[in-house]
Amino acid sequence: MEQRLANTWRMTVNEKKFIESALLSGLRVDGRNVYDYRKLSINFGKEDGSAEVHLGQTRVMGFVTSQLVQPYRDRPNEGSLSIFTEFSPMADPSFEPGRPGEFAVELGRVIDRGLRESRAVDTESLCILAGKLVWAIRIDIHILDNGGNLVDAANVAALAALLTFRRPECSLGGENGQEVIVHPPEAREPLPLIIHHLPIAVTFAFFSDESTLVVDPTHQEEAVMAGRMTATLNTNGDICAIQKAGGEGVPQSVIMHCLRIAATKAADITVKIRDTVEAYNTERALRKIKRHSAPVALDVSGTGPNVRKNQVKSQDQRKVSGSVGSQVDKLKPSNERNDSDQSNDIEGILTRGVLTRIS
């Protein structure tokens, strides 16, 4: 909770009272309704498995990497999924470098609980050789700018990075068939992860009045809130995880109301993520298309392409000259054409006569 305390220290008493009075009237400082999200945008890096999420003024980056390791003894046929968070002082003065604080640990656990306990990622497909080698998937979350509601932004960054990640394809070889061969991307196309559903985290902030709650709180609203709850649901409305981070108690009726709102928000965010990932995959496929120039036909007998072009050109010239000659003949007077025909006939008769005498 050191993040909320740091925000409290930076705010004056008048600012806190203004935010609280505005919320009691159903108004928020940034002009949103109580159940509205800030603008969400997702950008992808050049490498597969990297995503940057902008949620208002909050910026979070997610990176996914993989490594071949030995599986756990109790799960020899399953890979592993781990999440690590990094809070930089560049994002917020209350963040200190080095060992992660309480809020950093809490953020990682909320996202990890929503992904692993709901079995969103198929870990059995990460097995290469049962009991010996499996893929270990690691998600690194970097907080770039703290504008409030880091949990939801980090959750979207982790999901977007997982959807665009590609692991190398492996095969078994060797004499006994126990040798693992990792194929480079140039030889075989990398494989995407098998993800069954997308667990979306939706965070609510509660205030002193039990009937007052907002979705997607900013860092200013987090400074005056009395409690917070994060509900993780998928597009089917299944509850994957619920995290209540201390503060005042919340009645059951309010929790059920929050779950109904979270189901609607989760469906909208899921559509946003899938559309963005589909556009990225389409662009990625277009980048891999290789275009070759048209091949030039070569003469096997040894004549080069220039000779072939000259031969074609001479044939075309003969055709043109023949057609021009026919056109000239048609333009001659009839008497000249007859005289030329008669001369040709006389020459033919004389030639036949000479040939008969010789024979």
Side-chain angles (χ1 to χ4, degrees):
M1 302 300 293
E2 68 275 5
Q3 175 205 4
R4 186 166 66 89
L5 294 176
N7 291 335
T8 304
W9 295 335
R10 291 198 302 265
M11 294 185 63
T12 63
V13 177
N14 292 333
E15 290 175 342
K16 297 177 187 177
K17 291 183 178 180
F18 175 76
I19 294 174
E20 292 176 351
S21 60
L23 289 174
L24 292 176
S25 303
L27 302 175
R28 303 177 74 171
V29 177
D30 54 4
R32 289 182 292 157
N33 294 327
V34 292
Y35 300 144
D36 288 347
Y37 255 87
R38 290 173 291 178
K39 182 181 179 181
L40 176 65
S41 61
I42 305 173
N43 301 319
F44 298 101
K46 296 181 179 180
E47 298 181 358
D48 296 335
S50 63
E52 180 180 354
V53 173
H54 293 249
L55 183 59
Q57 296 181 355
T58 303
R59 293 178 57 198
V60 179
M61 293 192 69
F63 297 92
V64 178
T65 54
S66 61
Q67 184 180 4
L68 284 174
V69 298
Q70 292 184 355
Y72 296 108
R73 293 183 179 179
D74 56 342
R75 295 181 178 179
N77 299 327
E78 296 183 9
S80 61
L81 179 67
S82 56
I83 298 176
F84 297 88
T85 58
E86 180 183 354
F87 283 55
S88 173
M90 177 183 65
D92 196 302
S94 64
F95 299 154
E96 296 181 358
R99 187 175 181 179
E102 178 184 352
F103 184 69
V105 175
E106 179 187 355
L107 186 144
R109 288 178 178 177
V110 171
I111 300 175
D112 180 78
R113 188 180 298 113
L115 285 172
R116 286 204 302 176
E117 294 188 3
S118 64
R119 303 189 70 85
V121 180
D122 189 357
T123 55
E124 294 183 357
S125 63
L126 302 176
C127 178
I128 303 302
L129 193 59
K132 293 185 178 181
L133 285 178
V134 296
W135 284 107
I137 305 300
R138 172 178 173 139
I139 306 174
D140 291 287
I141 298 175
H142 301 271
I143 308 301
L144 303 180
D145 195 357
N146 180 22
N149 195 12
L150 294 177
V151 176
D152 294 6
N155 181 78
V156 174
L159 293 176
L162 286 172
L163 288 172
T164 57
F165 176 71
R166 301 290 187 275
R167 65 174 180 84
E169 185 176 356
C170 299
S171 61
L172 298 178
E175 297 179 356
N176 55 358
Q178 299 296 314
E179 181 181 353
V180 177
I181 303 174
V182 180
H183 301 280
E186 295 78 11
R188 294 190 181 182
E189 183 70 16
L191 302 176
L193 299 177
I194 299 177
I195 300 177
H196 300 297
H197 60 91
L198 299 181
I200 306 298
V202 180
T203 300
F204 298 87
F206 305 100
F207 299 89
S208 56
D209 186 4
E210 294 181 354
S211 61
T212 304
L213 59 93
V214 298
V215 178
D216 182 25
T218 63
H219 67 287
Q220 296 176 345
E221 294 171 345
E222 288 178 345
V224 299
M225 68 181 181
R228 179 181 57 201
M229 185 185 73
T230 300
T232 305
L233 297 87
N234 57 19
T235 186
N236 299 324
D238 301 329
I239 301 175
C240 303
I242 295 180
Q243 173 75 10
K244 177 66 172 63
E248 297 183 0
V250 180
Q252 181 181 359
S253 59
V254 177
I255 294 178
M256 297 303 297
H257 178 62
C258 292
L259 293 178
R260 289 191 291 269
I261 298 174
T264 304
K265 299 299 180 182
D268 298 338
I269 296 175
T270 300
V271 173
K272 174 70 174 180
I273 295 175
R274 292 194 180 278
D275 292 344
T276 309
V277 171
E278 184 179 356
Y280 170 80
N281 291 332
T282 303
E283 182 182 357
R284 179 178 181 272
L286 292 176
R287 288 199 306 263
K288 288 184 174 295
I289 295 178
K290 297 181 180 179
R291 296 179 175 87
H292 299 278
S293 59
V296 179
L298 298 177
D299 192 356
V300 181
S301 61
T303 58
N306 294 331
V307 177
R308 177 70 58 84
K309 292 179 181 178
N310 294 332
Q311 293 177 354
V312 174
K313 185 176 180 180
S314 61
Q315 293 177 1
D316 295 339
Q317 289 178 352
R318 287 198 298 270
K319 292 180 180 179
V320 173
S321 61
S323 60
V324 172
S326 60
Q327 295 292 335
V328 173
D329 292 340
K330 291 179 180 179
L331 295 175
K332 291 181 179 180
S334 59
N335 56 356
E336 294 182 2
R337 289 200 298 268
N338 293 333
D339 295 340
S340 61
D341 295 339
Q342 291 177 0
S343 62
N344 292 333
D345 295 338
I346 294 172
E347 291 178 359
I349 294 172
L350 293 176
T351 304
R352 287 195 297 271
V354 172
L355 291 175
T356 52
R357 291 178 182 177
I358 294 173
S359 61

